[in-house]
């Protein structure tokens, strides 16, 4: 009884798939078999559409013969052709496309599995037909440059979001719709636990086309200015780190210093990753200005080094207002009689007369 109920459910599922594909006149589970004319005609129609969509055409070039399931064909010939075509389509059911296909298709439920496989292949072929064709020259190239960086950044943001919400990392091949639905459900579950008014948006009014353009222009201007300032700071950092290589001790430790500094320096780029998405996601508490010396701010920045007091340090001088005028130089008479008279004062070198 359980086997009959399972076959009945499988037959109902196959009938629904055939109706969704536009095929009517399902013969029913009781009449299915290699000798059933309706079953042969249905298999022939499914195979013909797969060939039209290009799924079987490529396999025929590899040596598969044309399918012929006419009423005049014998049962062995029909089973042989079906087994060959299933092998050409790489059917995962080894019992159907194996060497003893005749025996496998005579078993109860084998014809239903065959129709289920053909229905799924036809559904996939129709979906692939709807996709726009890709450029063969570009399809073989992996994403690189900015596209690869943006893709890696989005994946990293998604992983951090899942970690913050306490959700497990999705398995490869998870549909994006399912992942977004899980995020929406988790966020909706956590929202009531927050205090009221804690997620008020910073941008409280709607944006029309002119405002979107103005916001994009403002964001680009701030991004350019931030990039200029970052370039200046990074240049100062490069000069500061290069000064450490001037000492005699750095000659022996130069390679070790570069091995530590270069990875850190390469991660610092002048470009900003702040976009309009960050503005839309900002909340009202982001615009609350807190002084850096306030008690609340100092709770997060206070450390033990702030309590260390410096002692007296020697005066290094260098103040121009305390410098004295240079004293005149005195030269004594030379022994060879040359030179100038002793006791005479010279403030500078005399120019020759023309």
């Amino acid at each position: 009884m359980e086997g009959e109920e399972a076959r009945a459910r499988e037959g109902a599922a196959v009938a629904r798939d055939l109706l969704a594909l536009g095929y009517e006149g399902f013969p029913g589970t009781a009449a299915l078999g290699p000798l059933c004319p309706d079953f042969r005609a249905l298999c022939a129609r499914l195979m013909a559409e797969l060939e039209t969509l290009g799924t079987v055409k490529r396999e025929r070039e590899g040596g598969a013969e044309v399918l012929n399931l006419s009423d005049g064909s014998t049962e062995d010939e029909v089973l042989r052709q079906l087994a060959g075509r299933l092998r050409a389509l790489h059917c995962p059911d080894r019992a159907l496309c194996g060497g003893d296909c005749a025996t496998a298709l005579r078993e109860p439920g084998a014809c239903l599995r065959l129709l289920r496989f053909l229905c799924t292949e036809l559904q996939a072929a129709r979906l692939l037909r709807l996709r726009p064709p890709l450029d063969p020259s570009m399809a073989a190239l992996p994403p690189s440059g900015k596209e690869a960086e943006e893709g890696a950044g989005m994946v990293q943001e998604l992983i951090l979001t899942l970690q913050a919400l306490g959700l497990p990392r999705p398995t490869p091949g998870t549909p994006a719709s399912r992942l977004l639905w899980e995020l929406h459900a988790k966020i909706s579950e956590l929202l009531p636990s927050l205090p009221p008014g804690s997620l008020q948006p910073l941008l409280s009014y709607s944006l029309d086309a002119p405002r979107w353009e103005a916001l994009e222009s403002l964001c680009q201007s701030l991004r350019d200015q931030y990039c200029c300032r970052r370039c200046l700071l990074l240049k100062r950092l490069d000069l500061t780190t290069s000064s450490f290589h001037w000492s005699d001790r750095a000659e022996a430790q130069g390679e070790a210093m570069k091995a530590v500094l270069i990875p850190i320096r390469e991660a610092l780029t002048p470009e900003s990753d702040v976009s309009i998405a960050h503005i839309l996601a900002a909340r009202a508490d982001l615009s609350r200005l807190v002084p850096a010396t306030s008690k609340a701010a100092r709770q997060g920045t206070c450390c033990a080094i702030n309590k260390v007091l410096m002692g007296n340090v020697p005066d290094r001088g260098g103040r121009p207002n305390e410098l004295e005028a240079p004293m005149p130089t005195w030269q004594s008479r030379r022994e060879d009689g040359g030179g100038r008279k002793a006791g005479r004062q010279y403030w500078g070198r005399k120019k020759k007369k023309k």
Side-chain angles (χ1 to χ4, degrees), residues 109-316:
C111 294
L112 285 175
R113 299 203 309 270
L114 172 61
L115 290 177
R116 193 66 181 270
F117 170 71
L118 294 179
C119 289
T120 54
E121 286 292 309
L122 185 54
Q123 291 172 353
R126 288 183 179 181
L127 290 176
L128 292 176
R129 186 67 177 269
L130 296 176
R131 295 178 60 183
L134 298 176
D135 188 1
S137 60
M138 299 299 296
L141 297 176
S144 59
K146 188 176 181 180
E147 295 181 359
E149 294 178 359
E150 291 178 355
M154 287 188 290
V155 171
Q156 185 65 24
E157 290 289 341
L158 181 59
I159 292 175
L160 293 177
T161 303
L162 294 175
Q163 291 178 355
L165 295 175
L167 294 175
R169 190 167 184 172
T171 58
T174 303
S177 58
R178 179 182 175 184
L179 185 59
L180 292 176
W181 182 84
E182 292 178 356
L183 289 174
H184 183 269
K186 187 65 176 180
I187 293 174
S188 301
E189 179 185 351
L190 296 176
L191 279 178
S193 61
L194 298 176
S198 59
L199 291 180
Q200 294 296 328
L202 182 61
L203 195 62
S204 57
Y205 54 87
S206 59
L207 298 176
D208 51 7
R211 288 178 176 176
W212 275 111
E213 295 178 359
L215 184 61
E216 177 64 28
S217 176
L218 179 61
C219 184
Q220 185 62 37
S221 300
L222 293 175
R223 192 181 295 114
D224 295 341
Q225 186 182 106
Y226 183 78
C227 180
C228 181
R229 295 185 179 185
R230 290 265 298 183
C231 288
L232 176 61
L233 293 176
L234 291 177
K235 189 64 177 178
R236 290 180 177 178
L237 176 63
D238 294 338
L239 295 175
T240 303
T241 54
S242 63
S243 64
F244 287 98
H245 295 272
W246 296 346
S247 62
D248 297 336
R249 184 181 178 184
E251 294 181 358
Q253 302 293 333
E255 296 299 329
M257 295 169 62
K258 290 180 180 179
V260 175
L261 292 175
I262 289 178
I264 301 175
R265 176 61 183 87
E266 290 179 350
L268 302 175
T269 57
E271 292 80 11
S272 173
D273 56 352
V274 179
S275 61
I276 296 182
H278 293 83
I279 301 175
L280 299 178
R283 295 296 176 250
D285 55 356
L286 187 63
S287 61
R288 188 179 305 162
L289 301 179
V290 179
T293 57
S294 64
K295 184 177 180 180
R298 289 295 294 162
Q299 289 180 354
T301 60
C302 183
C303 59
I305 195 65
N306 299 135
K307 300 179 182 180
V308 177
L309 300 179
M310 297 181 62
N312 296 327
V313 295
D315 186 8
R316 296 181 297 171

